[in-house]
Amino acid sequence: MTYDVPVAPGESGDIETTTNSGGDVWPMWEVFVRARRGISHVHIGSLHASDPEAALQNARDVYTRRGEGVSVWVVRSADVHSFEPEDAVDYIDANEKVYRLATTYEIPDEVGQM
Amino acid sequence: MTPEERFDAVVAAEDKIEPTDWMPEGYRKTLIRQIAQHAHSEIIGMQPEGNWITRAPTLHRKAILMAKVQDEAGHGLYLYAAAETLGVKRDQLQELLHQGKHKYSSIFNYPTLSWSDMGAIGWLVDGAAITNQVMLTRCSYGPYARAMVRICKEESFHQRQGYELLIRLCQGTPEQKAMAQDSLNRWWWPALMMFGPPDSESTHTEQSMTWKIKRVTNDDLRQQFVDMTVPQAEYLGLEIPDPELTWNEGRGHYDFGPIDWEEFWAVVKGNGPMNRERIEHKLKAWEDGAWVREAAAAHAIKKTARSAA
Ligand SMILES: [Fe+2]
Ligand SMILES: [Fe+2]
Ligand SMILES: [Fe+2]
């Protein structure tokens, strides 16, 4: 199916984009699920809910209907902090410090597995 | 490297673009439009099947149908969330849908007239959706591609339950088999139209392919779907309503007859059999549910105030 439905009369082209988190009646939450014991929670998606309890219930209903997980975390999206994209690039450039990598050291074969 | 060069390099390397990355305005707009339409399709798509939940012939079939419709609501949720990463609000998109300013897939503007339509929809409509959505798992925009991976897993259940429902009907009484044939007759051509206008007439395809939002053209996806579906119809012992349908040895594909694009455009423009009812029903559900949304929000505020005190 193409969801790229052709432009039809009366269709609105532009939508105003916004970066602030207001607007919706219910805030947005990020959902993390632990797939099974012994491994970390992994981000699985997002949803809207009025409060933490509702967010947890919705997360369970939406993201774990087929045994996807044994534990669920929800975090208000507004409480997730990250680098600005520009700073993130500098961060990636840290890879220049190759002496931090174990594979850049040559160890003679006679020494055996190290 | 300029942000634009970086964007081009990421796309060229088959890497994913993520929400905070710089992206061309056209890329953002195309994605918002497409993801919103996709989300609206999942939500409106609950109606044709919801229509049969209370009339399912057994408790087992009723449970399956409810599970499928619930999945579609979830698909809408994943997709609205993906659209929101591009800087729009879900409520904003809902409003555009309610005002008729946003479209959804035209397939959902056809009525579900018989129980066997539940089989035909799973087999053909979800089948066509899978063909498209498998392609979209390779889309260059990360949140959209990730939503597709989850959706495809669930769509497989949708298609298989529909096909199995039809197997049962086709192995049943002559009346049951005739009902299945009637469903195929009504859903076949609209299902082929789901892939959109022919490549010669589809305006956005080229740009979308360069941006790797779309990976395969409408006509190629349609051909894939036909090739996959014909043997499945043969197994059911049903006849595809196309006298021109033949295997083309040279091409290694099935040739099929012309699609009625006039019908397609009529439905897109709002004149399909169910366009009005679908939006009216959606609007009613939205308005009837307003008190729940407001009450939950008020409850949350009260609770926060109480715990602060
Ligand atoms: Fe779906
Ligand atoms: Fe879908
Ligand atoms: Fe589906």
Side-chain angles (χ1 to χ4, degrees), chain B residues 140-152:
Chain B
S140 60
Y141 189 57
Y144 195 23
R146 289 192 285 278
M148 284 305 119
V149 173
R150 274 194 72 77
I151 287 181
C152 283

Side-chain angles (χ1 to χ4, degrees), chain A residues 1 3 5 18 24 48 65, chain B residues 33 37 71 84 87 91 132:
Chain A
M1 142 164 21
Y3 292 97
V5 182
T18 156
D24 278 302
H48 288 276
R65 286 205 301 279
Chain B
R33 179 176 183 273
Q37 278 178 352
D71 279 353
E84 286 190 81
D91 286 358
N132 183 59

Side-chain angles (χ1 to χ4, degrees), chain B residues 42 49 68 71-72 75 125-126 129 133 151 154-156 158-159:
Chain B
E42 304 288 350
E49 289 168 302
K68 180 180 189 290
D71 279 353
E72 304 301 1
H75 297 176
V125 176
D126 291 274
Q133 291 174 154
I151 287 181
E154 300 181 347
E155 294 291 4
S156 172
H158 299 175
Q159 193 185 23

Side-chain angles (χ1 to χ4, degrees), chain B residues 239-250:
Chain B
E239 200 181 321
I240 289 178
D242 178 359
E244 291 177 47
L245 188 78
T246 42
W247 175 252
N248 183 324
E249 194 67 63

